[in-house]
Amino acid sequence: MTRSRRLAAVALSGAVALSCAVLTAPAHAAPSVDTPVATVQLSSTLPTEIDYTWAGSSGFRYRLPESSGTLQWADYPGVTPPAHAGPDDLSTGTDVITSVSGATVTQQHRSTGATATVTVPSGQTYRAASGWSVLTQDAAGAPHVLRAAADGTTTDLPVTGLPDGAQPTGTFVTGGSVRRLAVVYTRDGSSDVGLVDLADGTFRTYLTGVGNSPRIVFNDRWLVNGTKAIRVDSAPGTAPSTITASFLGEAQAVVGDQLLTGNAMFLPGGATPELTAVSLTDNTARTLLANSKGSFLATPDGGALATAGPSSVDWHVYRVTPAEDGSATTEKALDLPAWQASPDGMTLAGGELLMYGNTTHTGGVYGFYDIPLDTAGRPTGLQSRRGPTLQGSTCPGGDAACPQLEALGDGRVAYLWTDAQGEEHVLAVGLDATTIADEPTGDAGGRIGTGRYVLYNGGTPGSQRVADFPRGATAGGTALDRTRTAAAVWGQRLWTPGSSQGTVVAYDLKAKKNVATVDTGAPCTPSEIQAVNAWLYWSCGSAGPAGVYDRAANRAITVPSGQARLADGYLVRENRTTHELLLTDFHTGTATTRTVAVLPTADQNTGGSTGRWAVDRFGGNVAHLTDRRQVAIVTAGVPTSALAQMEAQTDPQPGGPTTANPWRPVWQLNKPSTWRLTLSNASGTVVRTLTGASTAAALRPAWDARTDSGAFVPSGTYTWKLTAEPRDGQGPALALTGTTTAG
């Protein structure tokens, strides 16, 4: 078994209840804090269960088990509520709500509010209700149909037609009808089932030998048990037909001429649960609702309710209704919220919020989940799974900023994991649902920084290395192993203190040499360095001083000291006494600070951006946890730097690109973009144009050596030209060019 497979467990069907509502400032926050543009939550990947407590022809009443049992109502969209005609018209009973208290049965027509009362006579016991009709049993076990009369009395209609010696078993089944009700009885050692016509009290047996635990579904056209089906209007003595269609799941309802089945106990490998419609007229089967499971209910108007959706954050109640030709149609009736899970960590990069946590209610099962954001920080999509299911991230003893997460800016997240031998691994996930890139450190108790190149400060004194996670790799590598100093990675450059006070040196991890020296003006050898675009942050320790050097304008800027996180033109820090989250904007050359939030006093941890808050270093905003374990997004409001390349992997595909093995270049930019890539032959003619949008801030096209018309290009050298437009509209487009080969 490979290391990746040892680390990954079961794949979760990913998927966030999403709230884009603007929040008012929390009651405990100072008036000057920023108003979040949105809040989101890490959501359970298990679909929401729903308990139907009543359903009619105008809507339904339900309870969500995780909402303290509160009853809620849902009206069917676009449905005109049925008029009230009273108990003498059984058809209007499809919208009747029944409640029982002792011998009093209260009936209310939901659409109009009109009520009727049925009094159960002495010696009879309430058994079931369907529409305006109430079924009881007397002391001898004989069924009766009761109904409210116009004068307020109760009519009592004894059921006739039960075979001699028939003993009702106590199984009385309501279904997709207010005209009929099923009764199971035993006679001569056989269990049989029939229907009571509630209009006149007559009973007719339809199926014999149904067993001790029959699953009976019916409407006004069909009665079904197991694989036996019979028309309700068939002549007495008609033998039932056999359902021969292959289907999975239990019978849930009959709608029109369709038997609806779902909730299979077992599914073949690769199959997903579904609601299947099996025709009772020709035995054909079709998928009525894909990705459907959980809560089903036959409704008294001949329809059904079913839950379905592609994920837990895109989960709905559907109304199934019969069509004139006997088929069944579906319509979305209610959007179901996803249940909240608790994030154990979060990070931001390139307009993506990535949350880490357990979304399954199963111990030790973790994963990363993404919510895409617009340039202001508002969600633009639903939660989706990014990477395989993972074991929990282990934390060094006493480490309050754990788990350690670092967004790489290319759609991936790096984090630390400790194996059974106690050795830490730097792992990278996020490009697909299955791949883990892994680089063992040979150390323990360390910390990480970020880039395609991930900085790892080992627990061993003086140990520092840079792990490399190139494109498409399932295993990382070590780009540099050195003695630890203050250090930061941005793109392919490692920034470390220089030989003289206040200087910082850039080491190119690809060229393997120093390429720049910057005098920051720091009055010390920095104990901390951070780098984002042209900004270099330095600190002389927790007591300061601290500053930012603007390499583009060659100017030094004094900023407040304290644990901080550098972003593009600003930094964020937390006042651990007041719990204020402070944003310092220095892009103009002068530092100004504002309070963006007041964090909950009850810590998840005391760490920086991987615990309670995060900043998007790749052209984005700020996120922080709320006291409800949600994540609030705050717009930074700081202009971003011009679009620029941080690192690129454009080497030609060995052997020439093919359909199965295309050329897959990667351009790591500093913020999100949309892009256009052209490939031209030796004469300058464009043979292929590709377009797309970045994943976070990385561009990942794929060229299969075909032209726009689908033909393969001749062998040779081709010139590529990449044009990227900044998604935030700030700054000019970026144009890059180079060559690759085909054939």
Side-chain angles (χ1 to χ4, degrees):
M1 182 180 291
T2 65
R3 179 181 289 115
S4 294
R5 291 188 179 275
R6 288 200 303 271
L7 299 176
V10 184
L12 299 176
S13 57
V16 112
L18 176 61
S19 171
C20 295
V22 174
L23 300 180
T24 57
H28 62 270
S32 59
V33 301
D34 288 8
T35 300
V37 293
T39 58
V40 299
Q41 69 179 42
L42 179 65
S43 294
S44 171
T45 50
L46 303 177
T48 298
E49 295 182 358
I50 182 172
D51 294 332
Y52 304 109
T53 61
W54 175 85
S57 51
S58 64
F60 60 95
R61 185 178 60 193
Y62 65 96
R63 177 187 294 111
L64 300 178
E66 294 190 35
S67 61
S68 303
T70 303
L71 291 175
Q72 302 180 63
W73 288 95
D75 292 315
Y76 299 133
V79 171
T80 301
H84 171 254
D88 56 341
D89 183 350
L90 296 190
S91 64
T92 66
T94 57
D95 217 38
V96 167
I97 303 169
T98 299
S99 59
V100 182
S101 177
T104 301
V105 181
T106 303
Q107 301 167 317
Q108 182 181 45
H109 194 264
R110 184 193 175 224
S111 301
T112 63
T115 61
T117 300
V118 171
T119 301
V120 178
S122 177
Q124 295 185 23
T125 303
Y126 172 88
R127 295 301 187 193
S130 182
W132 294 114
S133 305
V134 175
L135 190 80
T136 63
Q137 272 185 291
D138 60 26
H144 295 248
V145 177
L146 309 182
R147 234 176 343 263
D151 61 1
T153 62
T154 297
T155 62
D156 185 341
L157 188 64
V159 173
T160 61
L162 275 165
D164 292 338
Q167 297 293 324
T169 65
T171 300
F172 303 94
V173 182
T174 57
S177 170
V178 291
R179 175 68 184 264
R180 295 173 172 85
L181 192 148
V183 177
V184 179
Y185 67 89
T186 59
R187 180 172 179 264
D188 298 332
S190 175
S191 293
D192 306 333
V193 62
L195 296 175
V196 177
D197 188 324
L198 298 172
D200 58 17
T202 58
F203 177 86
R204 174 182 163 187
T205 299
Y206 282 91
L207 297 173
T208 59
V210 296
N212 295 327
S213 301
R215 188 171 183 86
I216 299 159
V217 291
F218 66 93
N219 62 1
D220 283 326
R221 302 174 78 161
W222 295 89
L223 174 69
V224 178
N225 177 66
T227 59
K228 299 298 182 182
I230 187 169
R231 287 277 307 198
V232 170
D233 58 1
S234 61
T238 301
S241 60
T242 300
I243 304 172
T244 59
S246 175
F247 58 89
L248 296 169
E250 293 183 328
Q252 304 295 339
V254 181
V255 177
D257 292 325
Q258 312 295 311
L259 171 65
L260 306 188
T261 70
N263 282 348
M265 186 174 295
F266 299 103
L267 286 172
T272 57
E274 63 182 34
L275 183 66
T276 302
V278 179
S279 172
L280 297 173
T281 59
D282 62 13
N283 274 304
T284 58
R286 69 183 180 94
T287 298
L288 190 63
L289 285 172
N291 300 305
S292 179
K293 62 180 179 180
S295 304
F296 301 106
L297 179 71
T299 56
D301 58 354
L305 297 175
T307 49
S311 72
S312 64
V313 295
D314 197 3
W315 193 246
H316 317 278
V317 175
Y318 285 84
R319 186 188 186 197
V320 185
T321 54
E324 290 185 3
D325 62 358
S327 63
T329 61
T330 63
E331 180 182 22
K332 190 185 298 183
L334 178 68
D335 298 328
L336 290 175
W339 295 120
Q340 184 176 2
S342 180
D344 289 318
M346 63 174 176
T347 187
L348 282 170
E352 293 184 333
L353 170 65
L354 291 151
M355 294 177 287
Y356 170 82
N358 184 337
T359 63
T360 66
H361 309 299
T362 301
V365 179
Y366 290 80
F368 284 96
Y369 300 88
D370 158 67
I371 298 176
L373 308 173
D374 67 11
T375 55
R378 292 179 294 261
T380 59
L382 300 174
Q383 173 180 302
S384 61
R385 182 165 59 91
R386 293 285 285 274
T389 299
L390 307 165
Q391 299 175 17
S393 178
T394 48
C395 302
D399 186 355
C402 189
Q404 296 183 49
L405 316 176
E406 286 290 351
L408 307 188
D410 61 357
R412 294 183 293 180
V413 179
Y415 75 107
L416 283 183
W417 175 80
T418 304
D419 63 22
Q421 289 71 45
E423 179 182 299
E424 283 182 332
H425 298 240
V426 180
L427 306 179
V429 301
L431 288 186
D432 56 43
T434 60
T435 303
I436 299 177
D438 178 9
E439 173 60 10
T441 67
D443 207 337
R447 301 201 59 77
I448 56 175
T450 187
R452 159 196 164 174
Y453 299 97
V454 180
L455 183 68
Y456 173 77
N457 290 321
T460 302
S463 172
Q464 187 175 72
R465 66 174 61 197
V466 179
D468 181 11
F469 294 104
R471 61 179 176 183
T474 56
T478 297
L480 187 65
D481 197 341
R482 65 188 300 272
T483 301
R484 187 193 309 174
T485 65
V489 171
W490 184 252
Q492 63 192 59
R493 290 186 173 185
L494 173 70
W495 294 90
T496 59
S499 57
S500 58
Q501 179 176 288
T503 61
V504 178
V505 175
Y507 176 82
D508 191 301
L509 293 163
K510 288 186 174 180
K512 306 294 184 184
K513 63 180 182 180
N514 293 338
V515 293
T517 299
V518 176
D519 186 353
T520 66
C524 64
T525 297
S527 60
E528 181 181 2
I529 298 172
Q530 296 183 46
V532 172
N533 292 322
W535 312 104
L536 285 172
Y537 168 84
W538 56 266
S539 173
C540 294
S542 58
V548 171
Y549 189 82
D550 181 355
R551 293 188 295 116
N554 294 318
R555 61 187 175 188
I557 308 164
T558 300
V559 297
S561 59
Q563 185 184 47
R565 185 71 163 176
L566 179 67
D568 189 7
Y570 68 95
L571 59 84
V572 174
R573 71 190 196 283
E574 178 185 350
N575 183 318
R576 294 296 300 163
T577 300
T578 65
H579 300 286
E580 290 176 281
L581 191 62
L582 304 168
L583 185 151
T584 298
D585 177 353
F586 51 75
H587 81 278
T588 62
T590 301
T592 59
T593 299
R594 73 178 195 267
T595 301
V596 297
V598 177
L599 302 178
T601 57
D603 287 334
Q604 178 190 27
N605 59 53
T606 57
S609 63
T610 61
R612 292 155 56 82
W613 52 271
V615 299
D616 188 343
R617 304 186 309 144
F618 297 86
N621 300 297
V622 181
H624 65 86
L625 287 177
T626 73
D627 55 4
R628 296 185 177 183
R629 308 303 300 149
Q630 296 174 314
V631 179
I633 314 295
V634 176
T635 304
V638 179
T640 59
S641 299
L643 199 60
Q645 175 181 296
M646 296 169 55
E647 190 266 338
Q649 300 167 73
T650 61
D651 297 339
Q653 180 66 34
T658 64
T659 301
N661 195 23
W663 177 52
R664 296 184 182 275
V666 179
W667 288 274
Q668 177 66 65
L669 306 186
N670 62 333
K671 61 181 181 179
S673 65
T674 56
W675 54 265
R676 181 174 183 265
L677 177 67
T678 60
L679 292 117
S680 303
N681 59 22
S683 63
T685 301
V686 174
V687 297
R688 186 69 181 272
T689 300
L690 301 168
T691 59
S694 62
T695 300
L699 281 55
R700 296 178 178 272
W703 182 44
D704 57 3
R706 293 178 183 268
T707 66
D708 287 329
S709 64
F712 282 104
V713 300
S715 299
T717 299
Y718 291 82
T719 298
W720 56 260
K721 181 179 180 181
L722 176 70
T723 303
E725 298 279 352
R727 193 181 71 166
D728 62 10
Q730 297 184 40
L734 175 68
L736 301 169
T737 190
T739 61
T740 188
T741 59

